[in-house]
Amino acid sequence: MLAIDDVDLADLALALEDHSDEHTWWLDAHSGEVRPHFGGGGEPDANADGTVAIDPLPVAVGYGDMEDFVAYVRDVQARDLLERAIVGRGAFRRFKDALGQFPELRRAWFAFHDARGERRAIEWLVEHELVGAPGAEQALADRADPEAGDLPGLLDAHGLARRVALDLRRVYRRRLRAVLLVGAWARGEAHPEAAVELVVVLDGFGDRWAEKRRMERTLWRHSVRNGAVVTALPVLLEEIPVLVRGALDEGVRAVEGRAPTIHDAPDPAIARRLELARRELDAARVLIDAQLCAGALSHAYRGALLAADAALVATGEHAATPSGTVAAFGQRLVVEDGVAPEHARALRRLYEDRHAVDHALVDAPPVEAREAIAAADAILAACAQWLATPRGTAAAAPVAPVQSA
């Protein structure tokens, strides 16, 4: 039986990837030598000289390596180029050509690919009973995939989030319900310098700031190790409908536990939603007085959305995203229950305007911000009146004038 060191694992890995029709590969079971055999003289006789034929692995194995590597790439432009390179026939050649434009990524690919290839070589030796399993286990452990933080230009945000979640599990134990990756990394749209944003769902706590400070050491340690910024927002399960709603609209990946849905949360009282809506509108008025128009418009939108959500809860419906709430409000409250259609149009407009403002696509002129607050006030009044009136007889509250979009 061979020792791992008797075999040139790089040569064996190459043989396992070689699908050439010009030659075959064989391994000498006595010396561990890996050598090609070109046509013309007949192939070696395994029974006579102790050689073992090396059949190549499926092409999909190598393709999977490329897919996994591309998922680690932190630079958005490089990742987009590599993703397009591996689509369709000729993927391997295009992938290597694309890597040529990014020298650091090219070196990172070789480190990643070599580790994968040598692990497969060891597994092949074990499968053919050419090496002992105990020595192979250690050799496999020594050839783990390089940490993304050790490879230039790469950040495995999902792996980083999982490692943070494991540390937070040790901190919180049974109190930790889930850790969710949200934001740009969850959507696959991250800029190389984007923060790794987490939502940490806990069973209970009294002081959110105290919990943030409790997680700070863990977040700092992982931030430094990975050259990134890791943030975490602690939330209660009952806060999912309000605080995680925005994250659900953007995309969420659970890295620890199951991602809670709005339906998992104990339903906050309708009155609580209306109170939060009033607070949002109070904040909007303070901001408009300070001439902070974009912030005023955003808070007006959130107030209107909370009011609409309160009315939908009373109907037994619960949309999972802001866009779902806007659509359900128009269908369930306006079409079916007689709330004035102007409120549904105003809510849709607020949704659109807030999206544009929050992404810095447009400025918010004072007149637009004031009209947003007036429209949100009217939506809140209409929903409160509808909730206080027997179903089907609610009269619409007066509608604040809203200019046509």
Side-chain angles (χ1 to χ4, degrees), residues 21-319:
D21 294 328
E22 298 177 358
H23 54 265
T24 56
W25 289 86
W26 297 77
L27 181 139
D28 187 319
H30 301 298
S31 67
E33 181 185 3
V34 177
R35 56 179 181 266
H37 178 80
F38 295 87
E43 294 188 344
D45 186 345
N47 293 326
D49 58 12
T51 56
V52 180
I54 304 172
D55 295 323
L57 297 171
V59 174
V61 173
Y63 187 84
D65 284 351
M66 294 191 298
E67 283 188 315
D68 291 345
F69 180 80
V70 170
Y72 288 151
V73 175
R74 190 174 189 181
D75 186 287
V76 175
Q77 179 184 358
R79 186 173 67 236
D80 180 64
L81 181 63
L82 293 172
E83 283 177 340
R84 286 187 279 113
I86 63 175
V87 175
R89 297 187 63 179
F92 290 88
R93 174 184 54 77
R94 289 195 304 273
F95 180 72
K96 291 179 180 178
D97 290 345
L99 280 176
Q101 302 180 41
F102 307 96
E104 288 191 343
L105 281 180
R106 187 171 182 271
R107 289 192 291 272
W109 160 250
F110 286 131
F112 178 88
H113 180 256
D114 288 350
R116 288 279 180 99
E118 291 191 8
R119 285 210 309 274
R120 286 194 287 266
I122 295 169
E123 290 166 353
W124 184 90
L125 291 170
V126 172
E127 180 183 348
H128 288 79
E129 299 181 345
L130 296 170
V131 298
E137 290 178 5
Q138 184 58 52
L140 288 169
D142 292 340
R143 290 166 174 81
D145 286 351
E147 289 288 336
D150 298 333
L151 303 179
L154 304 183
L155 176 66
D156 176 11
H158 300 87
L160 170 56
R162 284 192 294 272
R163 292 191 292 275
V164 174
L166 288 175
D167 280 356
L168 292 177
R169 174 65 69 183
R170 285 190 282 271
V171 170
Y172 287 109
R173 300 186 183 276
R174 293 184 179 181
R175 287 180 57 204
L176 183 66
R177 295 292 295 269
V179 178
L180 314 177
L181 177 65
V182 301
W185 285 109
R187 297 192 304 271
E189 302 171 356
H191 183 275
E193 297 176 0
V196 177
E197 302 172 77
L198 305 176
V199 169
V200 180
V201 185
L202 299 173
D203 263 342
F205 57 80
D207 186 333
R208 196 183 313 276
W209 286 100
E211 297 302 336
K212 283 172 61 66
R213 298 295 172 258
R214 189 175 187 185
M215 293 187 287
E216 190 169 302
R217 183 181 295 275
T218 297
L219 301 179
W220 168 246
R221 182 172 65 252
H222 286 280
S223 295
V224 170
R225 286 178 179 174
N226 292 273
V229 175
V230 185
T231 69
L233 175 67
V235 303
L236 299 170
L237 190 60
E238 54 264 32
E239 293 174 320
I240 291 294
V242 177
L243 295 179
V244 186
R245 183 186 291 279
L248 291 171
D249 204 29
E250 295 177 340
V252 165
R253 296 201 179 189
V255 294
E256 176 74 10
R258 180 179 63 83
T261 67
I262 285 179
H263 300 282
D264 290 328
D267 195 26
I270 292 173
R272 171 65 174 164
R273 283 181 171 81
L274 294 178
E275 175 59 27
L276 290 173
R278 294 185 183 97
R279 290 185 187 179
E280 292 287 353
L281 287 168
D282 288 343
R285 283 185 277 270
V286 170
L287 290 170
I288 195 66
D289 289 343
Q291 298 184 348
L292 299 174
C293 301
L297 191 149
S298 290
H299 280 276
Y301 155 76
R302 285 194 285 271
L305 191 73
L306 282 162
D309 194 41
L312 286 171
V313 168
T315 70
E317 295 196 16
H318 216 341

Side-chain angles (χ1 to χ4, degrees), residues 334-357:
V334 173
V335 175
E336 298 180 15
D337 271 319
V339 171
E342 288 84 353
H343 298 305
R345 288 199 294 269
L347 183 60
R348 188 215 61 81
R349 181 181 171 185
L350 284 168
Y351 174 86
E352 181 180 38
D353 289 351
R354 178 259 188 178
H355 187 274
V357 166

